[in-house]
Amino acid sequence: MTTLTKTEDVPAPTGSDAFLSVRDLRVQFSTEDGIVKAVDGLSFDLKRGQTLGIVGESGSGKSVTNLTVLGLHNRRTTNITGSIRLDGEELTDASDRQLEKLRGDKMAMIFQDALTALSPYYTVGRQISEPFRKHTGASKKEARDRAIEMLGKVGIPDPKRRVDDYPHQFSGGMRQRAMIAMSLVCNPELLIADEPTTALDVTVQAQILDLLKDLQQEFGSAIIMITHDLGVVANMADDVLVMYAGRAVERGTVREVLKQPSHPYTVGLLKSMPSLTSDVNEPLTPIPGSPPSLLNPPPGCAFSARCAHVDLVAGGRCTSERPQLADGRAAACHLTEEQKRQAFFETIQPRLG
Ligand code: ADP
Ligand code: MG
């Protein structure tokens, strides 16, 4: 592994009690057009039994971060630096075999689209029981019973009969549940859910989120909930990490971040979100512009080209100096607290109720 750019970020707090601890993670892809800096110095912690929401627009690096945690990138074509510690074990230099074992025993992922995660050629039951057999050495009968039990747990009616169905015989919501059963069959201590409900209608979405909460209660898993929907975060998460252009721009508890956002990008996300605004008649304002290229990111704040407040900061620092994310509750922004209060907090506060 070659060394990348020097570490620019102040490391986040050393969470000795964290189950998952990510420090200064950088993930770069070599492409024909150049090097894509998909994740550019990311640090966060997650404790057992807690849920971290990762939010940000499409392309901000949410999925790449989590695929990296799971060790699912091709390490020959992907340059990964920094540290990912799971229960004290360093994953960035773990072997493929080690990672494969961890993906069954300790960590699992729920994808946005169950159809891509489930094979059309095998029964639902087999796809739940096989990983269980592989990781526990259980007999076929034990594994089948376990698959039935898991289907029951995720709310599939008549699981004894449905265990022999193929994915196409399930509805979209049931397939999503079956995939959750598959992910949870080995009681993963870390569950990464990447937009798990985006493709589902609101009723099923709420059921799946409730199900995840119940299962978390039962298994005490740590969950990373990746979403572009702040409503899902409000419903599920303890802490939030707001990502923009491969970096974390704001971090805090759900209450802190949603009630008193401290980064103009988070404010923009909140203003563009229907479900959190108290007044449904108030117009939603999408954030103008689009994120910068990750091939050649700007030198200052990555959000500066879309930020309405850059003129408040003297010396053009927003476009020349990259704001750092401090430890704990923090936002990577050059505005002072007083400037933030005047610039946006008073305008967004009434909306958040
Ligand atoms: P999201 O926040 O929507 O999940 P991603 O993590 O999927 O965003 O992607 C972050 C950035 O990395 C995007 O610009 C995407 O195009 C780029 N990217 C993801 N995977 C690859 C890859 N294998 N090769 C090159 N670029 C990639
Ligand atoms: Mg994604």
Side-chain angles (χ1 to χ4, degrees):
M1 227 184 299
T2 51
T3 312
L4 298 172
T5 48
K6 77 176 172 58
T7 301
E8 292 162 90
D9 266 3
V10 184
T14 35
S16 51
D17 55 346
F19 180 60
L20 175 69
S21 190
V22 172
R23 284 297 170 277
D24 199 30
L25 181 68
R26 284 161 210 265
V27 184
Q28 306 192 340
F29 301 104
S30 296
T31 69
E32 279 182 4
D33 300 323
I35 293 173
V36 177
K37 295 182 173 176
V39 178
D40 196 27
L42 188 69
S43 301
F44 65 86
D45 283 323
L46 177 60
K47 291 179 189 162
R48 283 178 202 272
Q50 294 265 304
T51 299
L52 173 71
I54 300 186
V55 288
E57 285 166 299
S58 175
S60 55
K62 306 181 299 292
S63 295
V64 167
T65 299
N66 288 287
L67 291 169
T68 308
V69 171
L70 289 158
L72 288 173
H73 284 304
N74 180 340
R75 288 196 277 180
R76 273 184 297 279
T77 55
T78 316
N79 205 336
I80 300 167
T81 61
S83 162
I84 303 169
R85 284 184 165 268
L86 182 74
D87 205 7
E89 189 174 352
E90 180 58 52
L91 301 189
T92 50
D93 52 18
S95 69
D96 290 344
R97 256 189 85 183
Q98 248 173 311
L99 287 166
E100 203 189 326
K101 185 165 159 27
L102 285 172
R103 276 197 298 273
D105 293 347
K106 270 203 165 144
M107 51 185 182
M109 181 147 179
I110 301 175
F111 296 90
Q112 177 173 340
D113 178 8
L115 275 183
T116 53
L118 295 170
S119 162
Y121 303 112
Y122 297 104
T123 64
V124 168
R126 172 150 178 201
Q127 293 181 66
I128 300 170
S129 58
E130 276 304 306
F132 185 69
R133 284 189 65 196
K134 193 166 146 206
H135 286 278
T136 63
S139 71
K140 271 197 169 154
K141 165 84 173 72
E142 284 163 343
R144 183 184 161 84
D145 288 348
R146 172 77 175 168
I148 293 168
E149 180 198 338
M150 288 307 294
L151 286 174
K153 273 204 166 83
V154 298
I156 302 287
D158 199 3
K160 276 202 173 108
R161 190 169 61 81
R162 302 307 297 252
V163 70
D164 295 318
D165 280 0
Y166 287 85
H168 74 265
Q169 293 168 282
F170 275 26
S171 69
M174 282 168 67
R175 277 198 292 266
Q176 201 70 8
R177 286 163 193 264
M179 181 178 53
I180 293 174
M182 189 169 95
S183 305
L184 295 176
V185 68
C186 297
N187 297 349
E189 293 164 88
L190 172 66
L191 181 67
I192 298 178
D194 194 347
E195 310 264 4
T197 58
T198 302
L200 305 172
D201 70 54
V202 276
T203 319
V204 183
Q205 174 170 343
Q207 288 170 357
I208 299 274
L209 295 181
D210 283 346
L211 169 67
L212 285 175
K213 278 194 257 186
D214 290 348
L215 295 168
Q216 182 176 40
Q217 284 276 310
E218 186 174 345
F219 298 119
S221 321
I223 297 182
I224 296 180
M225 174 63 64
I226 304 172
T227 178
H228 59 267
D229 185 343
L230 286 168
V232 171
V233 166
N235 181 343
M236 286 290 294
D238 300 291
D239 293 332
V240 194
L241 196 69
V242 181
M243 282 188 74
Y244 189 76
R247 305 186 130 231
V249 294
E250 181 160 2
R251 161 183 346 101
T253 65
V254 167
R255 237 193 118 67
E256 288 165 343
V257 174
L258 299 188
K259 286 276 179 192
Q260 196 155 355
S262 183
H263 193 286
Y265 176 62
T266 313
V267 173
L269 283 181
L270 285 162
K271 283 187 169 179
S272 62
M273 274 271 324
S275 55
L276 286 175
T277 50
S278 41
D279 180 356
V280 286
N281 294 316
E282 194 161 346
L284 300 174
T285 342
I287 307 172
S290 49
S293 159
L294 299 175
L295 284 168
N296 206 351
C301 169
F303 188 62
S304 58
R306 302 170 79 185
C307 184
H309 313 298
V310 288
D311 293 341
L312 296 176
V313 178
R317 281 169 76 212
C318 294
T319 50
S320 62
E321 184 189 323
R322 187 169 262 178
Q324 304 296 329
L325 189 72
D327 293 354
R329 166 73 180 126
C333 177
H334 290 311
L335 293 169
T336 63
E337 289 311 307
E338 179 57 20
Q339 285 171 327
K340 285 178 194 171
R341 205 173 56 72
Q342 289 183 1
F344 52 73
F345 188 56
E346 277 161 9
T347 64
I348 190 145
Q349 183 64 21
R351 304 176 63 110
L352 303 175

